Amino acid sequence: MSAPDTFLVLGAVVTLLGAARLLTTRDHLRQIIALNVAGAGTLLVLVALGSEGTGTADPVLQALALTGIVITVAVTGLALVLVRRVDAAAADADADGDGDGHG
Amino acid sequence: MADLLLLPVLLPLAGAVATAVLPWRRTVGLTVAAAQLGFAVAAVVAVLRDGPLRGSPGGWEPPLGIALRLDGLGAAVGLLAAVVVLAVLGHAVARPAAAGGPSAWPLTLVTVAGLQAVLVSGDLFTTYVALELMTVGAVGLVALGGRRALAPALRYLCVAVLGSFAFLVAVALVHARTGTLTLELAAGALPPGPALGTVLALATVGLGVKAVLAPLHAWLPDAHAAAPTTVSPLLSALVVKGSLVVLVRLWSALGGHAGLAVVLAVLGSGAVLWGGVLALRQDRLKRLVAYSTVAQVGYLVLLLPLALPALDPAAPDGARTGALLAWEGALLLLLAHGLAKAALFLAAGTLVGVAGGDRVADLAGTATRAPMVVLTFGVAGACLAGLPPSLGFTGKWRMLEGAVTSGAWWAVAVLLVGGLLTASATARVLGVALRPDPDPAAARRGVPAGARWPALTLAVLAVGTGVGSAWLVDLLLVGAVPAG
Amino acid sequence: MTTTTWLPVLVLASSLVPAVAIFLLPEDRHRTRTTLNLAGALAKVGLVVALIPPVLAGRRFEWRVPFLPEVDLVLRVEPFGLLFLGLSAFLWLLTTVYAIGYLRTDGRHRSRFFGFFSLCVVASSGIALSGNLVTFVVFYELLTLATYPLVAHQQTAAALRGARVYLTYTLGGGVALLLGAVWLTALAGPVEFARGGSPAVAALAAEQPGAARAALALLLVGLAVKAALVPLHGWLPRAMVAPAPVSALLHAVAVVKAGVFGVVLVVDELAGVEVAADLGLLGPLLVVACATILWGSVRALRQDGLKARLAYSTVAQVAYVTLGVALLSPVATVGGVVHVVHQGLMKITLFFCAGLLAQTLGATRVSELAGAGRRMPLTCAAFTVGALGMIGLPPVAGFVSKWYLGLGAVDTGQPWVLVVLVVSSLLNAAYFLPVVGRMWWGRPGSTSRSGTRARWEAPPALLVPALVTAGCSLLAAVAAGVPLAPLSMAWLIVQGG
């Protein structure tokens, strides 16, 4: 097995593990970490695909991977904000004693 | 023609910034929405006249630059989006409480910009970025629903991003195998085989998550139940359509995959039947409407297996004819669903306000208090159920014709039973709304006229455009692979 | 000679425009609403009258618009359609007058009522004018949607239940109709109605008899629901909860008539009688029609509610039309076609009267009608004319229909159908004569409420329509041979003109 193929398989495994954890856990913070693990796996797959065959890196796929990183960071930020809001709302609900609320 | 491709993306983005920082949100928002409608009409006219519009902004040609391409399907969905957004913003102006606060304006415009970018992007990488933009906007919209909406919003975000990863790998694989990201150039360059199967499977899963294809729909009903009235139409009528458009384009460009088509046939049929039954069994009005979206997405996904022979030049003529009919029908249904579902959600949100509760049982007496809104609900529901002369009817007729022609009797059964389930769900709501008011003396808030008209207009359009289906089919086939 | 014009669209617009305008009208604008209603109804009658001479002279008016690629919406004025159109235009005018009077006392949601009422007429006009199968399906389903709010109008639990049953039956039938229509279109292209049957369907029947039989049978099953053929008639008696003008509309003008009109179209103008017979569709249709005639009459015998009795009577009477089509004889077809008009005139008379009796005397049951003739002689006279016509006694219109049906039965060598007709007439007599007898000669007793209110006859807005339709029922028989009488039109339709 050549090096790119190894990374391809590795990336796929990491992605699947991250996805599985994301879908099974109910803890919000774990979900976000799992999402990032899956993201890392995905980017690994991208880079591996980019260096298949010739051995030299494919610039377009590297650009894809870079954009993927940027988007993942942004999305993680958004997710963290949502988690904070969820926790705050849960705390409020505990304090109020009811689960009802409208924005 | 680059203006008609770029302006509908850039204008709402500028509008989003403006509505976020300037105090005149309504004026800016409505102006942008009206301009979008103008662009959309101009784009439809141009596409009908000249064929697909193409452009590469900044003069950078692919592979370095961005390829833009607007086909008939994209122009039609763009027009749908412009109409729905204008109606939704009109509703928001008349009932500010239904919009979910001032952040609704920029978030709506960001989502619209994302959808427009999806529609005009001619290469897969731009599509990926555009889908992310649309998703982020949509997640923000869901989160506007307050406490109960935050968890569904987070869930939506995680699942949608996971879907994006799958789509991204598919995109990378296309580039690794064909050396191009432009969909038109990649078409035909990828021979049938495991690579094509992997690309389509990954893309289908990734886009299916965003398009709430069952069984990937779990986040949707919770999100809709908590979302403000004006958010649900945007999600259900537009965001879902963006992913479906990409899915349809990808399949038709790359030629489809027989094995995957069987899986999609099963999933689509299951979604139609299961979503229909679940809709019928919901106690809460908005969840009922949300599950009906799951069912409707099932119809649209059935397009892919039914239309498969149309993508294969070697297929026998009879099969190709049937497949093309199903193709036309399903895309008509896509437009019908966009109009009718937006009307249905606006009407449902208004009815919840009139009834004072979101249970179906709370609706008793609303036919007396808000007859126009109940009428809107009924008309939109009839369109979704595929009753004539609506666009839902012509779409279903065409799809049935295609299924009968290609001998796909399983699809005929699914379509007919699905229609009956939708009709039953609508009739159930109407039956309760027509019940006598349990407390006629109670003081109630009326519905402002401005909040009634947008939804009714959408419903009437959904019915009226059915008569112009021949013209819409012409538009939808511009630049589509099966037409050539 | 076919002329392309906007005339058929104008016919639809004459009720569509009032429908839309009325929906938008505030509830308390009674005068404007009445004006709109009457103007629309009068305009429609005027248009139909203007269409009669050229159509009789052999001209055909057509309007088509692309609906889907290769599939057009076609509106065409043909003699048979014009007969149905004329009937519905004329009866709509009278029913509108009646409904305005009827709802004066119980006047909630009048905008909704009259809006959907007009929409019903749009749908039945569209059915009458449809030139191909797709157009027929579109208007047929529109009729279902437009009548649902009318059946549910009173919004009581019973009304909502009746409306739900109605919707269940008709939407179910709609599925069969849709599937049949799509199947036929997929196999034979967008088939148009034509005298003696569509050539495309005939070709299909020769090539693939199995598929043609199945598709046409699906169409007939779908139509049988609205035509209230046993065993798909269950919705009709339950829809009786609707207000009297709606019942009149359902039974005489729109829904049930749309069903049988469709049956006639499918057999005579889509498949063609010979093709339908070759495919073996007419035999079962004949049996179902006869069964419906007898079963409806037997059930009517046992109903105490006047409207329920009339409803089962409709089940039986409308099946005469199907019977006329199913018998392979031009004479019988004449009987069936003319019964479309005759049954409409007589049944609407009966329902008008039932509504009058219920409103004026509070009598909704047969047992409460004793002595009603003394209080309301004109109403009861009109009722008597309708009832005698239903039995088939001369000189009322029903006699003419039954006479031709009987002739047709003998003509085709199926005398057992004659037995069905005789038995049915005896049963009709058995459930109508006691009602009539009680009205005129019964003594107001403890079960009768006719002595409770001191009032003589109903207001003219309600009475005049009933008298007019009763008069027409007599006229249609007495002057059956006159050129524009229903019978002459029926001959013209069957023989081609």
Side-chain angles (χ1 to χ4, degrees), chain B residues 388 394 397-398 401 404 409 412 434 436 466-467 469-470 473, chain C residues 66-67 69 134 138 141 145 155 160 167 175 179 182-183 185:
Chain B
T394 51
W397 173 284
R398 210 62 173 168
E401 218 182 321
V404 169
W409 291 98
V412 173
L434 281 167
V467 181
S469 303
V473 168
Chain C
F67 191 42
V134 182
V138 166
E141 291 295 316
L145 300 183
Q155 298 186 213
L160 291 174
L167 204 61
V175 166
L179 180 55
V182 166
W183 198 356
T185 307

PDB file of all heavy atoms in Angstrom, chain B residues 388 394 397-398 401 404 409 412 434 436 466-467 469-470 473, chain C residues 66-67 69 134 138 141 145 155 160 167 175 179 182-183 185:
ATOM      1  N   PRO B 388     -56.271  19.293  -8.838  1.00  0.00           N
ATOM      2  CA  PRO B 388     -56.233  20.254  -9.941  1.00  0.00           C
ATOM      3  C   PRO B 388     -56.906  21.562  -9.591  1.00  0.00           C
ATOM      4  O   PRO B 388     -57.720  21.590  -8.682  1.00  0.00           O
ATOM      5  CB  PRO B 388     -57.014  19.536 -11.040  1.00  0.00           C
ATOM      6  CG  PRO B 388     -57.910  18.605 -10.336  1.00  0.00           C
ATOM      7  CD  PRO B 388     -57.203  18.209  -9.080  1.00  0.00           C
ATOM      8  N   THR B 394     -50.376  19.205 -11.982  1.00  0.00           N
ATOM      9  CA  THR B 394     -49.701  18.967 -13.260  1.00  0.00           C
ATOM     10  C   THR B 394     -48.411  18.188 -13.035  1.00  0.00           C
ATOM     11  O   THR B 394     -48.080  17.291 -13.816  1.00  0.00           O
ATOM     12  CB  THR B 394     -49.395  20.285 -13.975  1.00  0.00           C
ATOM     13  OG1 THR B 394     -48.740  21.148 -13.071  1.00  0.00           O
ATOM     14  CG2 THR B 394     -50.638  20.949 -14.474  1.00  0.00           C
ATOM     15  N   TRP B 397     -49.399  14.641 -12.299  1.00  0.00           N
ATOM     16  CA  TRP B 397     -49.904  14.019 -13.531  1.00  0.00           C
ATOM     17  C   TRP B 397     -48.729  13.578 -14.408  1.00  0.00           C
ATOM     18  O   TRP B 397     -48.669  12.447 -14.889  1.00  0.00           O
ATOM     19  CB  TRP B 397     -50.803  15.014 -14.273  1.00  0.00           C
ATOM     20  CG  TRP B 397     -51.233  14.549 -15.629  1.00  0.00           C
ATOM     21  CD1 TRP B 397     -50.491  14.520 -16.773  1.00  0.00           C
ATOM     22  CD2 TRP B 397     -52.507  14.011 -15.981  1.00  0.00           C
ATOM     23  NE1 TRP B 397     -51.219  14.012 -17.816  1.00  0.00           N
ATOM     24  CE2 TRP B 397     -52.455  13.690 -17.363  1.00  0.00           C
ATOM     25  CE3 TRP B 397     -53.684  13.777 -15.270  1.00  0.00           C
ATOM     26  CZ2 TRP B 397     -53.544  13.150 -18.043  1.00  0.00           C
ATOM     27  CZ3 TRP B 397     -54.765  13.236 -15.955  1.00  0.00           C
ATOM     28  CH2 TRP B 397     -54.692  12.926 -17.310  1.00  0.00           C
ATOM     29  N   ARG B 398     -47.774  14.496 -14.578  1.00  0.00           N
ATOM     30  CA  ARG B 398     -46.629  14.220 -15.433  1.00  0.00           C
ATOM     31  C   ARG B 398     -45.792  13.075 -14.854  1.00  0.00           C
ATOM     32  O   ARG B 398     -45.320  12.210 -15.578  1.00  0.00           O
ATOM     33  CB  ARG B 398     -45.782  15.490 -15.507  1.00  0.00           C
ATOM     34  CG  ARG B 398     -45.030  15.662 -16.799  1.00  0.00           C
ATOM     35  CD  ARG B 398     -45.945  15.772 -17.960  1.00  0.00           C
ATOM     36  NE  ARG B 398     -45.230  16.105 -19.184  1.00  0.00           N
ATOM     37  CZ  ARG B 398     -45.781  16.037 -20.377  1.00  0.00           C
ATOM     38  NH1 ARG B 398     -47.034  15.644 -20.501  1.00  0.00           N
ATOM     39  NH2 ARG B 398     -45.107  16.363 -21.446  1.00  0.00           N
ATOM     40  N   GLU B 401     -47.625   9.889 -15.339  1.00  0.00           N
ATOM     41  CA  GLU B 401     -47.554   9.502 -16.740  1.00  0.00           C
ATOM     42  C   GLU B 401     -46.209   8.839 -17.019  1.00  0.00           C
ATOM     43  O   GLU B 401     -46.149   7.795 -17.687  1.00  0.00           O
ATOM     44  CB  GLU B 401     -47.719  10.758 -17.603  1.00  0.00           C
ATOM     45  CG  GLU B 401     -48.527  10.561 -18.866  1.00  0.00           C
ATOM     46  CD  GLU B 401     -48.589  11.849 -19.678  1.00  0.00           C
ATOM     47  OE1 GLU B 401     -48.713  12.933 -19.075  1.00  0.00           O
ATOM     48  OE2 GLU B 401     -48.497  11.754 -20.908  1.00  0.00           O
ATOM     49  N   VAL B 404     -46.111   5.389 -15.362  1.00  0.00           N
ATOM     50  CA  VAL B 404     -46.919   4.414 -16.092  1.00  0.00           C
ATOM     51  C   VAL B 404     -46.204   4.015 -17.383  1.00  0.00           C
ATOM     52  O   VAL B 404     -46.128   2.833 -17.731  1.00  0.00           O
ATOM     53  CB  VAL B 404     -48.319   4.992 -16.393  1.00  0.00           C
ATOM     54  CG1 VAL B 404     -49.064   4.101 -17.366  1.00  0.00           C
ATOM     55  CG2 VAL B 404     -49.109   5.139 -15.119  1.00  0.00           C
ATOM     56  N   TRP B 409     -44.892   0.660 -11.621  1.00  0.00           N
ATOM     57  CA  TRP B 409     -46.181   0.722 -10.917  1.00  0.00           C
ATOM     58  C   TRP B 409     -46.009   0.977  -9.441  1.00  0.00           C
ATOM     59  O   TRP B 409     -46.913   1.499  -8.783  1.00  0.00           O
ATOM     60  CB  TRP B 409     -46.982  -0.552 -11.182  1.00  0.00           C
ATOM     61  CG  TRP B 409     -47.426  -0.613 -12.604  1.00  0.00           C
ATOM     62  CD1 TRP B 409     -46.840  -1.298 -13.626  1.00  0.00           C
ATOM     63  CD2 TRP B 409     -48.526   0.096 -13.191  1.00  0.00           C
ATOM     64  NE1 TRP B 409     -47.505  -1.068 -14.805  1.00  0.00           N
ATOM     65  CE2 TRP B 409     -48.550  -0.227 -14.576  1.00  0.00           C
ATOM     66  CE3 TRP B 409     -49.494   0.960 -12.678  1.00  0.00           C
ATOM     67  CZ2 TRP B 409     -49.494   0.303 -15.445  1.00  0.00           C
ATOM     68  CZ3 TRP B 409     -50.440   1.478 -13.549  1.00  0.00           C
ATOM     69  CH2 TRP B 409     -50.438   1.147 -14.918  1.00  0.00           C
ATOM     70  N   VAL B 412     -46.275   4.579  -9.058  1.00  0.00           N
ATOM     71  CA  VAL B 412     -47.664   5.028  -9.212  1.00  0.00           C
ATOM     72  C   VAL B 412     -48.395   4.884  -7.891  1.00  0.00           C
ATOM     73  O   VAL B 412     -49.068   5.813  -7.409  1.00  0.00           O
ATOM     74  CB  VAL B 412     -48.365   4.210 -10.317  1.00  0.00           C
ATOM     75  CG1 VAL B 412     -49.846   4.541 -10.370  1.00  0.00           C
ATOM     76  CG2 VAL B 412     -47.707   4.451 -11.658  1.00  0.00           C
ATOM     77  N   LEU B 434     -63.212  24.148  11.140  1.00  0.00           N
ATOM     78  CA  LEU B 434     -64.613  24.460  10.864  1.00  0.00           C
ATOM     79  C   LEU B 434     -65.513  24.207  12.075  1.00  0.00           C
ATOM     80  O   LEU B 434     -66.677  24.566  12.064  1.00  0.00           O
ATOM     81  CB  LEU B 434     -65.109  23.626   9.688  1.00  0.00           C
ATOM     82  CG  LEU B 434     -64.717  24.126   8.296  1.00  0.00           C
ATOM     83  CD1 LEU B 434     -64.986  23.066   7.266  1.00  0.00           C
ATOM     84  CD2 LEU B 434     -65.488  25.395   7.957  1.00  0.00           C
ATOM     85  N   PRO B 436     -67.370  24.614  15.617  1.00  0.00           N
ATOM     86  CA  PRO B 436     -67.835  25.867  16.245  1.00  0.00           C
ATOM     87  C   PRO B 436     -66.833  26.365  17.276  1.00  0.00           C
ATOM     88  O   PRO B 436     -66.130  25.574  17.913  1.00  0.00           O
ATOM     89  CB  PRO B 436     -69.146  25.456  16.917  1.00  0.00           C
ATOM     90  CG  PRO B 436     -69.494  24.132  16.374  1.00  0.00           C
ATOM     91  CD  PRO B 436     -68.268  23.494  15.842  1.00  0.00           C
ATOM     92  N   GLY B 466     -50.392  26.325 -12.281  1.00  0.00           N
ATOM     93  CA  GLY B 466     -50.621  25.012 -12.876  1.00  0.00           C
ATOM     94  C   GLY B 466     -51.056  25.125 -14.319  1.00  0.00           C
ATOM     95  O   GLY B 466     -50.670  24.309 -15.171  1.00  0.00           O
ATOM     96  N   VAL B 467     -51.838  26.153 -14.613  1.00  0.00           N
ATOM     97  CA  VAL B 467     -52.337  26.307 -15.976  1.00  0.00           C
ATOM     98  C   VAL B 467     -51.202  26.656 -16.932  1.00  0.00           C
ATOM     99  O   VAL B 467     -51.272  26.373 -18.119  1.00  0.00           O
ATOM    100  CB  VAL B 467     -53.453  27.372 -15.998  1.00  0.00           C
ATOM    101  CG1 VAL B 467     -54.021  27.548 -17.384  1.00  0.00           C
ATOM    102  CG2 VAL B 467     -54.555  26.978 -15.035  1.00  0.00           C
ATOM    103  N   SER B 469     -48.188  25.327 -16.831  1.00  0.00           N
ATOM    104  CA  SER B 469     -47.138  24.324 -16.648  1.00  0.00           C
ATOM    105  C   SER B 469     -46.352  24.058 -17.919  1.00  0.00           C
ATOM    106  O   SER B 469     -45.161  23.734 -17.852  1.00  0.00           O
ATOM    107  CB  SER B 469     -47.736  23.023 -16.157  1.00  0.00           C
ATOM    108  OG  SER B 469     -48.428  23.230 -14.976  1.00  0.00           O
ATOM    109  N   ALA B 470     -46.997  24.174 -19.069  1.00  0.00           N
ATOM    110  CA  ALA B 470     -46.302  23.888 -20.323  1.00  0.00           C
ATOM    111  C   ALA B 470     -45.104  24.821 -20.457  1.00  0.00           C
ATOM    112  O   ALA B 470     -43.996  24.411 -20.821  1.00  0.00           O
ATOM    113  CB  ALA B 470     -47.255  24.072 -21.492  1.00  0.00           C
ATOM    114  N   VAL B 473     -42.359  23.913 -17.946  1.00  0.00           N
ATOM    115  CA  VAL B 473     -41.581  22.749 -18.381  1.00  0.00           C
ATOM    116  C   VAL B 473     -40.523  23.185 -19.390  1.00  0.00           C
ATOM    117  O   VAL B 473     -39.361  22.766 -19.310  1.00  0.00           O
ATOM    118  CB  VAL B 473     -42.498  21.668 -18.967  1.00  0.00           C
ATOM    119  CG1 VAL B 473     -41.689  20.597 -19.669  1.00  0.00           C
ATOM    120  CG2 VAL B 473     -43.329  21.036 -17.871  1.00  0.00           C
TER     121      VAL B 473
ATOM    122  N   PRO C  66     -52.244  25.469 -23.884  1.00  0.00           N
ATOM    123  CA  PRO C  66     -51.312  24.405 -23.481  1.00  0.00           C
ATOM    124  C   PRO C  66     -51.290  24.268 -21.965  1.00  0.00           C
ATOM    125  O   PRO C  66     -51.213  25.280 -21.259  1.00  0.00           O
ATOM    126  CB  PRO C  66     -49.952  24.880 -23.999  1.00  0.00           C
ATOM    127  CG  PRO C  66     -50.192  26.071 -24.825  1.00  0.00           C
ATOM    128  CD  PRO C  66     -51.565  26.572 -24.580  1.00  0.00           C
ATOM    129  N   PHE C  67     -51.373  23.059 -21.507  1.00  0.00           N
ATOM    130  CA  PHE C  67     -51.421  22.787 -20.068  1.00  0.00           C
ATOM    131  C   PHE C  67     -50.078  22.202 -19.659  1.00  0.00           C
ATOM    132  O   PHE C  67     -49.384  22.728 -18.807  1.00  0.00           O
ATOM    133  CB  PHE C  67     -52.556  21.813 -19.808  1.00  0.00           C
ATOM    134  CG  PHE C  67     -52.914  21.618 -18.370  1.00  0.00           C
ATOM    135  CD1 PHE C  67     -52.977  22.683 -17.506  1.00  0.00           C
ATOM    136  CD2 PHE C  67     -53.224  20.362 -17.891  1.00  0.00           C
ATOM    137  CE1 PHE C  67     -53.322  22.494 -16.172  1.00  0.00           C
ATOM    138  CE2 PHE C  67     -53.571  20.173 -16.569  1.00  0.00           C
ATOM    139  CZ  PHE C  67     -53.620  21.237 -15.720  1.00  0.00           C
ATOM    140  N   PRO C  69     -46.666  20.119 -21.902  1.00  0.00           N
ATOM    141  CA  PRO C  69     -46.265  19.876 -23.287  1.00  0.00           C
ATOM    142  C   PRO C  69     -47.103  18.745 -23.901  1.00  0.00           C
ATOM    143  O   PRO C  69     -47.239  17.690 -23.288  1.00  0.00           O
ATOM    144  CB  PRO C  69     -44.796  19.464 -23.148  1.00  0.00           C
ATOM    145  CG  PRO C  69     -44.350  20.088 -21.883  1.00  0.00           C
ATOM    146  CD  PRO C  69     -45.529  20.121 -20.983  1.00  0.00           C
ATOM    147  N   VAL C 134     -58.237  15.206 -19.785  1.00  0.00           N
ATOM    148  CA  VAL C 134     -57.519  15.972 -18.762  1.00  0.00           C
ATOM    149  C   VAL C 134     -58.401  17.102 -18.248  1.00  0.00           C
ATOM    150  O   VAL C 134     -58.528  17.318 -17.038  1.00  0.00           O
ATOM    151  CB  VAL C 134     -56.222  16.562 -19.351  1.00  0.00           C
ATOM    152  CG1 VAL C 134     -55.458  17.304 -18.274  1.00  0.00           C
ATOM    153  CG2 VAL C 134     -55.376  15.477 -19.948  1.00  0.00           C
ATOM    154  N   VAL C 138     -59.704  17.739 -14.392  1.00  0.00           N
ATOM    155  CA  VAL C 138     -59.426  18.977 -13.662  1.00  0.00           C
ATOM    156  C   VAL C 138     -60.715  19.531 -13.049  1.00  0.00           C
ATOM    157  O   VAL C 138     -60.781  19.810 -11.842  1.00  0.00           O
ATOM    158  CB  VAL C 138     -58.793  20.019 -14.611  1.00  0.00           C
ATOM    159  CG1 VAL C 138     -58.815  21.394 -13.964  1.00  0.00           C
ATOM    160  CG2 VAL C 138     -57.374  19.623 -14.949  1.00  0.00           C
ATOM    161  N   GLU C 141     -62.408  17.240 -10.269  1.00  0.00           N
ATOM    162  CA  GLU C 141     -61.811  17.324  -8.934  1.00  0.00           C
ATOM    163  C   GLU C 141     -62.083  18.683  -8.299  1.00  0.00           C
ATOM    164  O   GLU C 141     -62.272  18.785  -7.096  1.00  0.00           O
ATOM    165  CB  GLU C 141     -60.304  17.088  -9.017  1.00  0.00           C
ATOM    166  CG  GLU C 141     -59.933  15.669  -9.376  1.00  0.00           C
ATOM    167  CD  GLU C 141     -60.354  14.677  -8.298  1.00  0.00           C
ATOM    168  OE1 GLU C 141     -60.138  14.966  -7.114  1.00  0.00           O
ATOM    169  OE2 GLU C 141     -60.916  13.638  -8.648  1.00  0.00           O
ATOM    170  N   LEU C 145     -63.671  19.772  -4.460  1.00  0.00           N
ATOM    171  CA  LEU C 145     -63.140  20.750  -3.510  1.00  0.00           C
ATOM    172  C   LEU C 145     -64.147  21.851  -3.230  1.00  0.00           C
ATOM    173  O   LEU C 145     -64.263  22.330  -2.112  1.00  0.00           O
ATOM    174  CB  LEU C 145     -61.842  21.355  -4.057  1.00  0.00           C
ATOM    175  CG  LEU C 145     -60.734  20.358  -4.322  1.00  0.00           C
ATOM    176  CD1 LEU C 145     -59.487  21.073  -4.797  1.00  0.00           C
ATOM    177  CD2 LEU C 145     -60.435  19.578  -3.066  1.00  0.00           C
ATOM    178  N   GLN C 155     -71.533  23.636   9.947  1.00  0.00           N
ATOM    179  CA  GLN C 155     -70.452  23.499  10.924  1.00  0.00           C
ATOM    180  C   GLN C 155     -70.880  22.783  12.188  1.00  0.00           C
ATOM    181  O   GLN C 155     -70.257  22.936  13.229  1.00  0.00           O
ATOM    182  CB  GLN C 155     -69.851  24.876  11.259  1.00  0.00           C
ATOM    183  CG  GLN C 155     -69.244  25.531  10.049  1.00  0.00           C
ATOM    184  CD  GLN C 155     -68.527  26.818  10.366  1.00  0.00           C
ATOM    185  OE1 GLN C 155     -68.508  27.708   9.572  1.00  0.00           O
ATOM    186  NE2 GLN C 155     -67.921  26.909  11.534  1.00  0.00           N
ATOM    187  N   LEU C 160     -70.036  18.253   9.772  1.00  0.00           N
ATOM    188  CA  LEU C 160     -68.611  17.991   9.545  1.00  0.00           C
ATOM    189  C   LEU C 160     -68.376  16.511   9.272  1.00  0.00           C
ATOM    190  O   LEU C 160     -67.538  16.144   8.457  1.00  0.00           O
ATOM    191  CB  LEU C 160     -67.798  18.451  10.751  1.00  0.00           C
ATOM    192  CG  LEU C 160     -67.761  19.970  10.925  1.00  0.00           C
ATOM    193  CD1 LEU C 160     -67.059  20.353  12.208  1.00  0.00           C
ATOM    194  CD2 LEU C 160     -67.056  20.606   9.737  1.00  0.00           C
ATOM    195  N   LEU C 167     -65.915  13.734   1.480  1.00  0.00           N
ATOM    196  CA  LEU C 167     -64.565  13.943   0.959  1.00  0.00           C
ATOM    197  C   LEU C 167     -63.829  12.610   0.811  1.00  0.00           C
ATOM    198  O   LEU C 167     -63.113  12.387  -0.173  1.00  0.00           O
ATOM    199  CB  LEU C 167     -63.801  14.865   1.909  1.00  0.00           C
ATOM    200  CG  LEU C 167     -62.649  15.641   1.294  1.00  0.00           C
ATOM    201  CD1 LEU C 167     -63.151  16.534   0.190  1.00  0.00           C
ATOM    202  CD2 LEU C 167     -61.957  16.480   2.350  1.00  0.00           C
ATOM    203  N   VAL C 175     -58.891   9.290  -7.044  1.00  0.00           N
ATOM    204  CA  VAL C 175     -57.645   8.558  -7.280  1.00  0.00           C
ATOM    205  C   VAL C 175     -57.843   7.565  -8.428  1.00  0.00           C
ATOM    206  O   VAL C 175     -56.999   7.463  -9.330  1.00  0.00           O
ATOM    207  CB  VAL C 175     -57.195   7.839  -5.993  1.00  0.00           C
ATOM    208  CG1 VAL C 175     -56.113   6.819  -6.309  1.00  0.00           C
ATOM    209  CG2 VAL C 175     -56.680   8.841  -4.995  1.00  0.00           C
ATOM    210  N   LEU C 179     -55.869   7.810 -11.967  1.00  0.00           N
ATOM    211  CA  LEU C 179     -55.028   6.725 -12.461  1.00  0.00           C
ATOM    212  C   LEU C 179     -55.512   6.280 -13.841  1.00  0.00           C
ATOM    213  O   LEU C 179     -54.710   6.097 -14.764  1.00  0.00           O
ATOM    214  CB  LEU C 179     -55.047   5.561 -11.466  1.00  0.00           C
ATOM    215  CG  LEU C 179     -54.197   4.353 -11.857  1.00  0.00           C
ATOM    216  CD1 LEU C 179     -52.763   4.775 -12.124  1.00  0.00           C
ATOM    217  CD2 LEU C 179     -54.219   3.308 -10.750  1.00  0.00           C
ATOM    218  N   VAL C 182     -54.538   8.982 -16.397  1.00  0.00           N
ATOM    219  CA  VAL C 182     -53.107   9.012 -16.691  1.00  0.00           C
ATOM    220  C   VAL C 182     -52.714   7.804 -17.530  1.00  0.00           C
ATOM    221  O   VAL C 182     -51.967   7.924 -18.509  1.00  0.00           O
ATOM    222  CB  VAL C 182     -52.299   9.043 -15.371  1.00  0.00           C
ATOM    223  CG1 VAL C 182     -50.843   8.737 -15.648  1.00  0.00           C
ATOM    224  CG2 VAL C 182     -52.434  10.379 -14.698  1.00  0.00           C
ATOM    225  N   TRP C 183     -53.256   6.668 -17.154  1.00  0.00           N
ATOM    226  CA  TRP C 183     -52.924   5.435 -17.866  1.00  0.00           C
ATOM    227  C   TRP C 183     -53.335   5.537 -19.331  1.00  0.00           C
ATOM    228  O   TRP C 183     -52.564   5.263 -20.248  1.00  0.00           O
ATOM    229  CB  TRP C 183     -53.634   4.267 -17.181  1.00  0.00           C
ATOM    230  CG  TRP C 183     -53.084   2.916 -17.513  1.00  0.00           C
ATOM    231  CD1 TRP C 183     -52.089   2.634 -18.407  1.00  0.00           C
ATOM    232  CD2 TRP C 183     -53.484   1.671 -16.938  1.00  0.00           C
ATOM    233  NE1 TRP C 183     -51.860   1.291 -18.410  1.00  0.00           N
ATOM    234  CE2 TRP C 183     -52.687   0.675 -17.539  1.00  0.00           C
ATOM    235  CE3 TRP C 183     -54.441   1.304 -15.988  1.00  0.00           C
ATOM    236  CZ2 TRP C 183     -52.831  -0.675 -17.212  1.00  0.00           C
ATOM    237  CZ3 TRP C 183     -54.580  -0.035 -15.666  1.00  0.00           C
ATOM    238  CH2 TRP C 183     -53.788  -1.009 -16.263  1.00  0.00           C
ATOM    239  N   THR C 185     -53.866   8.237 -21.006  1.00  0.00           N
ATOM    240  CA  THR C 185     -53.063   9.252 -21.689  1.00  0.00           C
ATOM    241  C   THR C 185     -51.684   8.706 -22.041  1.00  0.00           C
ATOM    242  O   THR C 185     -51.152   8.975 -23.119  1.00  0.00           O
ATOM    243  CB  THR C 185     -52.931  10.496 -20.799  1.00  0.00           C
ATOM    244  OG1 THR C 185     -54.244  10.902 -20.408  1.00  0.00           O
ATOM    245  CG2 THR C 185     -52.261  11.627 -21.539  1.00  0.00           C
TER     246      THR C 185
END
